[in-house]
Amino acid sequence: MKSISSISLMIMTVMLACGNSGSDRDVIADNSTTDASAPAITDYAATLPLDKIKLPAGFQIEVYAEVDNARSMALSPSGVLYVGNRDKDKVYAVKDTNGDFKADKKWVIASGLNMPNGVAFKDGNLYVAEISKITKYTGIESKLDNPPTPTVIADNYPTESHHGWKYIAFGPDGKLYVPVGAPCNICESKDEIYASITRLNADGSGREIFAKGVRNSVGFTWHPVTKELWFTDNGRDMLGDDKPSCELNVAAKKGMHFGYPYCHEGSIKDPEFGDKHACAEFTAPADKLGPHVAPLGLKFYTGNMFPAAYKNQIFVAEHGSWNRSKKIGYNVTLVKLQNNKVTEHEAFATGWLDDATQKEWGRPVDVLVMPDGSLLVSDDKANVIYRISYKK
């Protein structure tokens, strides 16, 4: 850090003390220069073994940006990519300002937050989800060098950290969708907000439960034609290596129940709670993605860069198993649809896990389709965001 005069230091201290408190103080201190951005890619990116990633013919993968513990992503119309994290306390912004398809600037938007996994963007404003609250950064696009003090739009979500981190996104109806995971591996909660997906207005009002029986969803998206909500759900643990499967679900309307904690993957009765309800009472998954693969972010491919066969198909980031005797997941999976029904799924990008040594060097978290048709993939272990592109 460059040295500054004692007078400048006194002025800075007074400014910080008078106008801000808590984590906002750190944000302004970090962004008090004329240009507060930092390089988005360093020499570290070249050390990653990208040659291990296997993709279909014609596809290639590169590092788009380096972001510590990169989790959920949201893109603004101007091309600023906002990135949350779970194990850290910050929200970042990165941007490709020179058009070379790699981010060259990075900003810290906020720090000192409580698992700020979820980010969403609407009407010029950034929304950030922590464990128990959602905040809005008004007019963020023109304030990247000096982010505004956030406004709390909702602070009445549960405080449990177990499955408490959140993926958020605005739906076609203009409402902000916010999941609330079960506060346990398996339990029956008296408060119906647990194991649900909620939605609320952009100002925080009108919260309601949209879907029930959802153990832990950390990713959802909407079909580009039908506008139905598709979401991933992480299956329960401690039933063995091979069950239950993690799920891909479709919520065509409000009020559907997807089985947790009574029924898993549409047909497996829970040994503790399964006798209370029959599996037939609940909506079965659209696809069984595999046991303990931990599917998180997903997107329909709506771009024009990839071959036509990929149009309106689903890419799913699989974070990978944590307690299976042989690890599984650690992929980007392609889910194929026909007439809005899943026909099959297959690995699209693999290589973050060495099957022989059972050691992983990366863990996919979220996916995002860029305006040029390329696909971004965040990785909270390798601490980067990849760009997957296609060339004939």
Side-chain angles (χ1 to χ4, degrees), residues 122-123 125 127 134-136 151-154 170 173-177 199-206:
K122 181 177 173 61
D123 298 333
N125 306 318
Y127 294 76
I134 300 169
T135 52
K136 179 177 74 172
T151 300
V152 177
I153 68 163
F170 281 94
D173 55 8
K175 293 181 180 291
L176 183 64
Y177 285 69
R199 66 180 178 184
L200 61 162
N201 297 320
D203 63 1
S205 65

Side-chain angles (χ1 to χ4, degrees), residues 312-332:
N312 292 346
Q313 308 298 289
I314 306 174
F315 286 107
V316 180
E318 294 181 357
H319 201 227
S321 60
W322 66 272
N323 67 340
R324 199 172 183 269
S325 61
K326 185 176 182 180
K327 292 180 179 179
I328 191 173
Y330 304 90
N331 300 322
V332 175

Side-chain angles (χ1 to χ4, degrees), residues 36-348:
S37 65
I41 299 180
T42 69
D43 293 340
Y44 164 75
T47 69
L48 296 176
L50 295 186
D51 59 314
K52 295 182 181 296
I53 302 300
K54 305 302 180 185
L55 291 158
F59 290 90
Q60 65 177 2
I61 186 169
E62 301 172 288
V63 171
Y64 180 79
E66 297 172 20
V67 175
D68 193 21
N69 195 233
R71 294 280 296 188
S72 299
M73 301 180 289
L75 185 70
S76 77
S78 72
V80 178
L81 181 71
Y82 298 94
V83 189
N85 54 40
R86 187 190 77 175
D87 293 338
K88 305 296 182 180
D89 66 342
K90 293 179 175 59
V91 173
Y92 295 89
V94 298
K95 187 175 184 180
D96 169 17
T97 64
N98 59 11
D100 66 351
F101 306 112
K102 293 184 179 180
D104 49 86
K105 286 193 174 184
K106 178 170 64 177
W107 297 264
V108 175
I109 299 302
S111 60
L113 305 183
N114 185 10
M115 291 188 176
N117 182 88
V119 287
F121 192 88
K122 181 177 173 61
D123 298 333
N125 306 318
L126 173 67
Y127 294 76
V128 176
E130 298 180 67
I131 293 291
S132 61
K133 67 179 179 180
I134 300 169
T135 52
K136 179 177 74 172
Y137 294 76
T138 303
I140 188 66
E141 297 284 81
S142 63
K143 303 171 185 176
L144 295 175
D145 289 328
N146 191 12
T149 300
T151 300
V152 177
I153 68 163
D155 61 359
N156 56 347
Y157 280 95
T159 59
E160 288 89 349
S161 60
H162 194 118
H163 297 156
W165 54 91
K166 293 172 172 55
Y167 177 96
I168 58 173
F170 281 94
D173 55 8
K175 293 181 180 291
L176 183 64
Y177 285 69
V178 183
V180 181
C184 55
N185 172 38
I186 186 76
C187 58
E188 192 176 37
S189 301
K190 293 182 179 180
D191 190 340
E192 66 175 357
I193 197 170
Y194 291 107
S196 76
I197 296 176
T198 70
R199 66 180 178 184
L200 61 162
N201 297 320
D203 63 1
S205 65
R207 189 179 79 181
E208 61 181 353
I209 293 176
F210 180 78
K212 300 178 180 179
V214 182
R215 179 179 178 271
N216 183 32
S217 178
V218 197
F220 40 80
T221 191
W222 287 265
H223 192 288
V225 178
T226 69
K227 308 305 180 184
E228 293 172 332
L229 176 69
W230 289 67
F231 65 92
T232 56
D233 192 11
N234 285 231
R236 70 156 291 178
D237 298 309
M238 309 309 174
L239 288 185
D241 276 0
D242 300 320
K243 65 179 183 181
S245 179
C246 294
E247 300 175 2
L248 175 64
N249 291 292
V250 185
K253 59 182 180 180
K254 175 186 172 183
M256 299 173 69
H257 197 297
F258 293 87
Y260 177 88
Y262 312 105
C263 182
H264 311 288
E265 70 170 63
S267 59
I268 297 178
K269 294 178 64 175
D270 186 80
E272 185 174 351
F273 300 104
D275 288 340
K276 294 188 176 184
H277 293 276
C279 285
E281 296 179 41
F282 308 114
T283 301
D287 193 22
K288 301 174 185 178
L289 295 172
H292 312 296
V293 298
L296 301 183
L298 70 162
K299 290 290 186 300
F300 284 89
Y301 184 73
T302 54
N304 295 315
M305 176 187 287
F306 294 3
Y310 289 89
K311 196 77 169 185
N312 292 346
Q313 308 298 289
I314 306 174
F315 286 107
V316 180
E318 294 181 357
H319 201 227
S321 60
W322 66 272
N323 67 340
R324 199 172 183 269
S325 61
K326 185 176 182 180
K327 292 180 179 179
I328 191 173
Y330 304 90
N331 300 322
V332 175
T333 291
L334 174 67
V335 179
K336 298 181 178 181
L337 283 74
Q338 187 173 357
N339 298 323
N340 206 31
K341 301 292 183 182
V342 175
T343 58
E344 61 178 321
H345 67 257
E346 63 186 25
F348 171 76

